Amino acid sequence: MFKDITLGQYFPVDSVAHRLDPRTKLVLLILYIVAVFIVKDIWVFGFIIAFMLFMTAMSKVPLNYVLKAIKPMKLLLPLMFLLNLFMIKSGHILFSWKFITVTTGGLRQALFIVLRLIALVTGASLLTLTTTPVSLTEGLERLLSPLKAVKFPVHELAMMMTIALRFIPTLLEEADKIMKAQLARGADLESGNIFKKAKAMIPILIPLFVNSFRRAEELALAMESRCYHGGEGRTRLKVLKFHMRDLWAVLIFAALIAVVVILQNTFPIDRYAADLILGLLGKKQ
Amino acid sequence: MPIVIEKLTYTYQSGSVNAFTAIMDVSLTIHDGEFVGLIGHTGSGKSTLIQQLNGLMQPTSGKVLVDGFDMSDKKQRAKGRALVGMVFQYPDYQLFDETVYKDISFGPKNMKLAPDEIDRRVREAMRLVGLDFDEFAEKSPFELSGGEKRRTALAGIIAMYPKYLVLDEPMAGLDPAGRRAVLAMIDDFRKQLGCAVVMVSHSMDDIARSADKVIVLRDGAIFASGTPAEIFSRSDELYEMGLEPPFAARMASELKRHGFRLPGGIYTNEALADALAAYKGGDLNV
């Protein structure tokens, strides 16, 4: 039941992407997101996808592993596509039947939303696949450390993230055990409507919560007994250092943005594509 | 009718690179009213095997038949599962309701019994596990002590009146008095409910005391199976496997090594004491 979850799953191989500084990778993710959002021509998206494949190749993570991240959205994506397709009415009418109308604008928007979501999710999962949770939170802590000046609890936030990520597999395992214990007592988790199903989750959620609170208390004790007192004066075993490859990576991603901007301003093919489709359908503007 | 396991094989993540066969080609039968002790070191496949008994896991190949119900079949599984009560190692995995009373009635309620029958069974189960009704019925299960929690968890299963009671290390983490109490309780259920018991335990002393049949698992296969006398006469082999044979069996084999001529089949403290008492009168052949 919980086997599909790839959230925060690290794929342990050695590659350029794995060796990059986590701070760099976080910045790269931001640059990538910027690139994904400034695309306004569908065909330029092909370029983004090619870049995505290039990053995957550089990370040595199997492509189907990266694509697994899309799986939880298998309901959301078609829904978003259809909603946008039928609700947005702009541009030319491609197709119309009774109350259903498909316009060029709607089709464009629908394609965009799906491609954007896929690009974002795969990009983000590539980050977690190539970065251990510990170095990811350390990167985040260091990246946000300027905020300490305004009393923002950066270290505490990073520690909470580390702990949360650390306990995801533990919780999944425990949920599985609790589920078995309740199934053995005749709990029915599958039949009935949505309200019945939600109610059937109570015998699983309560032990899960109770055990989590107990574990949290034990963890706090264990940390305190090892003199943990927050981030002040805390040093690192491995100090993060930037390398040349980090600079190169940022330059490549900056180039991506530049290329996207130049391509879509020089060759705005979309505008003509609409005319082309209409021409093929034998309709006049 | 018995539980019949035929050529059961179970592979985790079958078909992937991480595939791991936890149980290989195991066949065994659990008869009505029988007390079966299941022993084996960590990772020998005990837990995987007992989860097959009530269909929480299904065989990769082979068959598990509970009173003739095929546990691989979704419809028959529900019927088979109703016959097999399963008590897990940690009560924390199953206690959830506001009061001990409500928690124990969870199983019977799922069986769709009449309210007065549920009430009767909850009271009976609490009596059998030694929880005073007036004192505990309205308490929250989360404010109980470790031993009381375990009793409550046990009562939750007992109240379902299983024909087969499967216990996964029911004594883990209890003090000696607690262990004895739980063991005595299990004997009580057997007498009063007439159920068969399958008990996984690391403590062979506990198994030696109660079991009719002992099954030793090793690397997912049955290493030995027989009466306690048969199994524990091989206490040296068990010891080499990393298991701890009953104290009396080890003591007897150690005494024999020192020249004591003791009869075979000693595995309880009482039998050992009797054998030693028979030596009175200077018949110590050293």
Side-chain angles (χ1 to χ4, degrees):
Chain A
M1 170 163 197
F2 299 112
K3 277 172 200 146
D4 295 340
I5 296 176
T6 50
L7 178 78
Q9 214 173 62
Y10 177 63
F11 192 87
V13 286
D14 188 33
S15 77
V16 185
H18 286 71
R19 282 195 299 269
L20 284 177
D21 190 289
R23 288 170 290 183
T24 314
K25 280 188 266 191
L26 282 163
V27 172
L28 295 183
L29 184 65
I30 294 168
L31 291 177
Y32 176 74
I33 292 171
V34 169
V36 168
F37 274 101
I38 58 171
V39 175
K40 48 182 189 191
D41 260 34
I42 286 282
W43 77 274
V44 181
F45 233 107
F47 189 75
I48 296 269
I49 287 166
F51 189 79
M52 179 67 221
L53 293 174
F54 163 73
M55 287 197 300
T56 311
M58 294 301 278
S59 71
K60 290 189 188 165
V61 177
L63 185 62
N64 60 357
Y65 233 86
V66 181
L67 293 180
K68 255 193 209 168
I70 306 174
K71 229 176 151 188
M73 301 198 301
K74 62 182 175 232
L75 279 178
L76 181 72
L77 287 180
L79 187 73
M80 293 297 270
F81 183 81
L82 292 176
L83 274 180
N84 279 281
L85 189 62
F86 295 130
M87 303 303 277
I88 291 177
K89 294 186 173 50
S90 68
H92 312 289
I93 293 171
L94 277 175
F95 173 84
S96 117
W97 177 75
K98 287 184 182 169
F99 58 92
I100 297 170
T101 326
V102 176
T103 60
T104 46
L107 181 65
R108 228 180 82 97
Q109 197 59 36
L111 279 173
F112 253 107
I113 232 57
V114 169
L115 286 171
R116 270 197 184 128
L117 278 173
I118 291 176
L120 289 179
V121 169
T122 48
S125 81
L126 204 54
L127 173 69
T128 53
L129 282 166
T130 59
T131 320
T132 60
V134 173
S135 63
L136 192 62
T137 44
E138 189 185 347
L140 199 67
E141 184 179 349
R142 293 282 300 272
L143 216 51
L144 294 179
S145 60
L147 291 178
K148 277 180 191 162
V150 290
K151 298 260 162 136
F152 186 80
V154 176
H155 170 80
E156 282 72 12
L157 195 73
M159 182 55 88
M160 283 194 282
M161 261 185 71
T162 313
I163 292 171
L165 286 171
R166 154 69 184 78
F167 280 104
I168 288 174
T170 313
L171 279 176
L172 289 179
E173 199 178 302
E174 197 162 274
D176 187 54
K177 279 184 182 163
I178 293 169
M179 204 140 72
K180 280 180 176 164
Q182 305 300 28
L183 278 175
R185 294 213 279 166
D188 182 8
L189 305 176
E190 276 151 19
S191 63
N193 57 29
I194 191 157
F195 294 105
K196 242 182 146 180
K197 274 187 190 161
K199 219 182 147 201
M201 290 306 283
I202 292 174
I204 290 163
L205 291 179
I206 289 181
L208 197 60
F209 271 102
V210 171
N211 290 349
S212 303
F213 281 121
R214 186 179 42 79
R215 184 172 301 114
E217 263 171 45
E218 281 168 8
L219 182 69
L221 269 178
M223 284 168 81
E224 273 178 14
S225 68
R226 288 193 282 172
C227 304
Y228 178 78
H229 58 88
E232 218 164 301
R234 197 173 158 83
T235 56
R236 295 268 171 192
L237 179 61
K238 286 181 190 156
V239 181
L240 288 180
K241 251 172 90 179
F242 284 118
H243 296 270
M244 272 313 274
R245 56 173 174 264
D246 294 300
L247 182 62
W248 281 114
V250 173
L251 287 177
I252 289 172
F253 274 67
L256 169 73
I257 296 180
V259 169
V260 165
V261 171
I262 293 167
L263 276 181
Q264 61 191 8
N265 284 325
T266 332
F267 310 103
I269 290 180
D270 265 20
R271 230 169 287 163
Y272 309 116
D275 295 345
L276 189 69
I277 294 170
L278 284 171
L280 285 175
L281 287 173
K283 287 184 186 174
K284 281 183 188 162
Q285 286 194 20
Chain B
M1 279 175 93
I3 295 184
V4 179
I5 296 178
E6 271 171 30
K7 297 200 164 155
L8 169 68
T9 297
Y10 184 81
T11 309
Y12 282 98
Q13 302 191 0
S14 166
S16 84
V17 277
N18 298 323
F20 167 71
T21 301
I23 300 182
M24 224 157 79
D25 205 24
V26 166
S27 298
L28 61 94
T29 305
I30 295 156
H31 296 286
D32 289 1
E34 199 173 32
F35 193 127
V36 179
L38 194 60
I39 51 185
H41 50 81
T42 314
S44 60
K46 290 171 298 184
S47 294
T48 314
L49 180 60
I50 57 170
Q51 288 186 37
Q52 306 274 349
L53 292 179
N54 73 344
L56 288 174
M57 288 179 171
Q58 283 93 46
T60 309
S61 73
K63 257 189 183 159
V64 179
L65 299 170
V66 176
D67 282 13
F69 296 116
D70 185 347
M71 299 306 270
S72 307
D73 182 274
K74 210 176 171 186
K75 274 186 187 156
Q76 295 187 40
R77 191 188 304 155
K79 288 181 184 159
R81 189 176 277 167
L83 299 169
V84 184
M86 174 104 184
V87 183
F88 283 87
Q89 198 170 344
Y90 297 108
D92 296 317
Y93 289 146
Q94 72 172 65
L95 301 179
F96 75 97
D97 223 326
E98 293 159 55
T99 66
V100 169
Y101 183 90
K102 281 187 188 170
D103 205 283
I104 296 173
S105 62
F106 180 69
K109 251 186 209 159
N110 288 329
M111 294 167 75
K112 308 210 164 39
L113 298 172
D116 49 334
E117 172 68 5
I118 294 176
D119 184 69
R120 195 186 66 73
R121 285 191 179 195
V122 172
R123 283 167 191 272
E124 168 85 358
M126 284 183 73
R127 190 182 60 74
L128 277 169
V129 299
L131 287 175
D132 182 59
F133 189 88
D134 297 324
E135 189 184 346
F136 288 100
E138 293 306 313
K139 262 196 179 173
S140 158
F142 300 110
E143 52 188 51
L144 302 179
S145 75
E148 288 160 357
K149 273 186 191 169
R150 197 165 300 230
R151 283 159 194 259
T152 309
L154 209 54
I157 306 296
I158 297 295
M160 297 170 77
Y161 284 6
K163 195 177 164 206
Y164 305 94
L165 183 63
V166 183
L167 303 146
D168 190 359
E169 302 204 26
M171 273 95 67
L174 291 182
D175 58 19
R179 301 178 77 89
R180 272 200 298 276
V182 169
L183 210 58
M185 255 183 259
I186 294 169
D187 276 339
D188 259 12
F189 310 149
R190 271 186 82 204
K191 282 195 199 99
Q192 301 208 15
L193 306 176
C195 57
V197 174
V198 178
M199 185 168 91
V200 172
S201 179
H202 275 119
S203 162
M204 297 207 199
D205 278 295
D206 295 338
I207 283 181
R209 213 170 299 159
S210 316
D212 302 318
K213 186 160 92 186
V214 180
I215 293 167
V216 185
L217 278 184
R218 181 187 198 174
D219 300 332
I222 292 182
F223 172 75
S225 150
T227 62
E230 283 164 9
I231 299 298
F232 296 132
S233 66
R234 300 163 72 178
S235 67
D236 292 345
E237 277 172 79
L238 296 178
Y239 190 73
E240 269 159 36
M241 271 173 68
L243 298 170
E244 180 83 21
F247 166 78
R250 282 196 63 208
M251 193 59 147
S253 104
E254 199 68 21
L255 285 170
K256 278 186 200 165
R257 197 169 305 146
H258 285 80
F260 282 73
R261 282 183 305 194
L262 293 174
I266 295 177
Y267 57 88
T268 60
N269 293 348
E270 291 76 13
L272 179 65
D274 288 346
L276 287 177
Y279 263 103
K280 262 186 198 163
D283 194 21
L284 286 166
N285 257 318
V286 186

